[in-house]
Amino acid sequence: MTSFENNADRVALTCYAPLLCNTDYVNWNPNLIWYNNHEIFGIPSYYVQKMYSVNQGDVTLEHSVEITPEDEKTEPKRISGSFGLGVGPGGALFEGIKVDGTSPSAADVEALEGDWTYSDGKLKKTPEPAPEGEGGGRPPRRRFGANDVRVNGDYESFVFECTAKLEERTFEFPDRPGERHRHGFSIGFCRGENEGFTWHIGGFRGNESFLSYEVRGYDDRFASAQIEADLDGELKLRIERCGNHIICSINDTVVHDVEYVPAEPHRIYVSSTYDEGTDEVIIKAVNVRSTPITLEIDVEGVGEGGRRIGLETLTADSLEARNSFESPENVATAFDSFEVSSVPFVHEFAPHSVNILKIPKEDK
């Protein structure tokens, strides 16, 4: 959003979606405002949107941020974790499951959704019954991902192998009569508590394969390919990861051969505007990392004398902090102000925080 302001000559407007969610009809979680018949609350993103909306300013100002090389350095991100498998409502059979040549123990295999059994590298799912009156139509909506079964462990570089066979129903969309679709299946790997990779195979018309990297429910598809594999037959699957290098194969044919290097975010994101009505310079600064950052702030053209700086901040003790009907403002904007004896002045930005500074143009 700081980039929206810094490129306001190109970005005319923005809109957050999805906006509203009735808690009796939940499809997904990023909805900005949640409500029931009696209560309402906004998620933390609601407060971010409001902070930017009511503090826009009239003119975008040029700015620069200088950070020492030592402060810019971060430890390389380690992506590791468990495996996961998922299919649609139909049945499935995964045989010969091995990680680096060894079958996972039964104690490491955990069924999360559906009727699954596992023994000696053989994982089987019993098909879910068709809804009454389905008649070949679209089955109930389910999230497509590797969320049915988890193979616990902390894997980073590995070779995963198995053979897979689906026993699933195809279905039709009401507006596409005669066109058959299917769910396909997916294999997750290096999945931690809030992030990880997923290899999606088949689905819809049965000819697509893609890799995605997911963080807190949001996924980034970074590799895709068309496949000719027969999803009604048995597929030999292999995933090999060595560092950032990922190779995925179906029936000994390489489908994906990619390098995935997660881009480190900037230390801090900044935009600056001038509000003609209040005669203030508005600085928005977002510290996306887990440590505080201290900056000396200088603003040309506002004089050097002391003044009172307005401050709005959104932060929390944890990235997992949430709002709810019971605690609707658990994560909400905090309002404050502070005196400075002169400009420039020094300010510390909290970890994982959104900050707005309002600097009067004239000395007060």
Side-chain angles (χ1 to χ4, degrees), residues 14-260:
T14 65
C15 178
Y16 187 100
L19 185 60
L20 301 173
C21 180
N22 184 331
T23 55
D24 292 328
Y25 304 94
V26 179
N27 286 327
W28 57 345
N29 292 324
N31 302 274
L32 200 68
I33 299 170
W34 291 60
Y35 66 93
N36 58 28
N37 288 344
H38 311 284
E39 302 165 292
I40 189 170
F41 71 89
I43 67 172
S45 292
Y46 166 82
Y47 294 94
V48 176
Q49 294 289 320
K50 185 175 181 179
M51 290 170 71
Y52 275 73
S53 174
V54 301
N55 295 292
Q56 293 186 47
D58 301 292
V59 181
T60 300
L61 303 178
E62 183 180 357
H63 71 273
S64 63
V65 181
E66 296 181 8
I67 298 176
T68 63
E70 292 75 17
D71 195 34
E72 187 68 30
K73 290 179 181 178
T74 60
E75 291 295 323
K77 187 174 184 179
R78 181 173 180 262
I79 305 173
S80 67
S82 61
F83 292 95
L85 298 99
V87 298
L93 177 63
F94 296 89
E95 293 188 280
I97 298 176
K98 292 184 178 181
V99 182
D100 295 330
T102 301
S103 297
S105 68
D108 289 330
V109 179
E110 181 181 3
L112 305 177
E113 184 172 346
D115 184 5
W116 293 84
T117 58
Y118 175 77
S119 177
D120 297 327
K122 183 177 180 180
L123 180 66
K124 183 176 182 179
K125 182 195 176 189
T126 301
E128 301 170 18
E132 291 185 12
E134 182 182 341
R138 184 177 184 177
R141 181 172 179 172
R142 291 186 58 192
R143 177 172 174 80
F144 179 49
N147 305 308
D148 293 348
V149 177
R150 181 167 58 222
V151 180
N152 293 303
D154 188 24
Y155 300 97
E156 186 170 3
S157 293
F158 59 85
V159 175
F160 175 94
E161 298 173 290
C162 73
T163 58
K165 181 174 175 56
L166 293 177
E167 303 172 10
E168 81 168 336
R169 305 180 302 273
T170 59
F171 59 91
E172 290 184 3
F173 289 99
D175 58 341
R176 305 175 193 172
E179 186 176 331
R180 307 303 296 179
H181 299 261
R182 67 192 309 154
H183 281 275
F185 57 99
S186 54
I187 300 175
F189 54 99
C190 302
R191 297 173 68 92
E193 183 177 354
N194 297 301
E195 60 186 335
F197 297 98
T198 303
W199 181 18
H200 303 268
I201 306 167
F204 297 101
R205 296 176 180 84
N207 62 349
E208 184 180 31
S209 170
F210 66 89
L211 287 168
S212 65
Y213 181 66
E214 303 166 8
V215 180
R216 296 182 183 85
Y218 299 88
D219 66 325
D220 172 27
R221 184 184 301 195
F222 62 91
S224 61
Q226 298 295 306
I227 58 176
E228 298 180 356
D230 178 12
L231 292 188
D232 292 323
E234 188 176 82
L235 302 180
K236 179 181 177 182
L237 306 176
R238 175 186 170 97
I239 305 172
E240 181 178 357
R241 182 180 179 218
C242 182
N244 295 319
H245 193 190
I246 300 171
I247 302 174
C248 299
S249 304
I250 300 177
N251 296 336
D252 297 322
T253 298
V254 173
V255 178
H256 303 289
D257 187 342
V258 296
E259 292 278 337
Y260 183 82

Side-chain angles (χ1 to χ4, degrees), residues 201-364:
I201 306 167
F204 297 101
R205 296 176 180 84
N207 62 349
E208 184 180 31
S209 170
F210 66 89
L211 287 168
S212 65
Y213 181 66
E214 303 166 8
V215 180
R216 296 182 183 85
Y218 299 88
D219 66 325
D220 172 27
R221 184 184 301 195
F222 62 91
S224 61
Q226 298 295 306
I227 58 176
E228 298 180 356
D230 178 12
L231 292 188
D232 292 323
E234 188 176 82
L235 302 180
K236 179 181 177 182
L237 306 176
R238 175 186 170 97
I239 305 172
E240 181 178 357
R241 182 180 179 218
C242 182
N244 295 319
H245 193 190
I246 300 171
I247 302 174
C248 299
S249 304
I250 300 177
N251 296 336
D252 297 322
T253 298
V254 173
V255 178
H256 303 289
D257 187 342
V258 296
E259 292 278 337
Y260 183 82
V261 182
E264 278 294 332
H266 294 314
R267 186 66 174 85
I268 195 166
Y269 292 82
V270 175
S271 65
S272 181
T273 60
Y274 172 62
D275 190 315
E276 296 174 345
T278 61
D279 201 23
E280 293 175 325
V281 172
I282 302 173
I283 295 177
K284 299 180 181 70
V286 184
N287 182 5
V288 299
R289 298 193 184 173
S290 59
T291 54
I293 181 171
T294 301
L295 294 178
E296 182 181 71
I297 299 173
D298 191 9
V299 184
E300 294 183 7
V302 300
E304 299 178 353
R307 68 206 67 201
R308 176 166 290 276
I309 309 297
L311 175 64
E312 299 180 19
T313 304
L314 183 77
T315 188
D317 295 333
S318 167
L319 285 175
E320 307 311 312
R322 297 289 185 266
N323 293 337
S324 64
F325 290 123
E326 294 73 24
S327 300
E329 296 184 348
N330 181 47
V331 183
T333 308
F335 298 87
D336 199 359
S337 64
F338 57 92
E339 293 278 353
V340 297
S341 58
S342 63
V343 178
F345 61 93
V346 174
H347 184 73
E348 181 180 274
F349 298 95
H352 296 145
S353 64
V354 180
N355 307 269
I356 295 181
L357 297 174
K358 296 181 177 181
I359 305 171
K361 185 176 178 182
E362 302 297 334
D363 301 355
K364 301 294 183 182

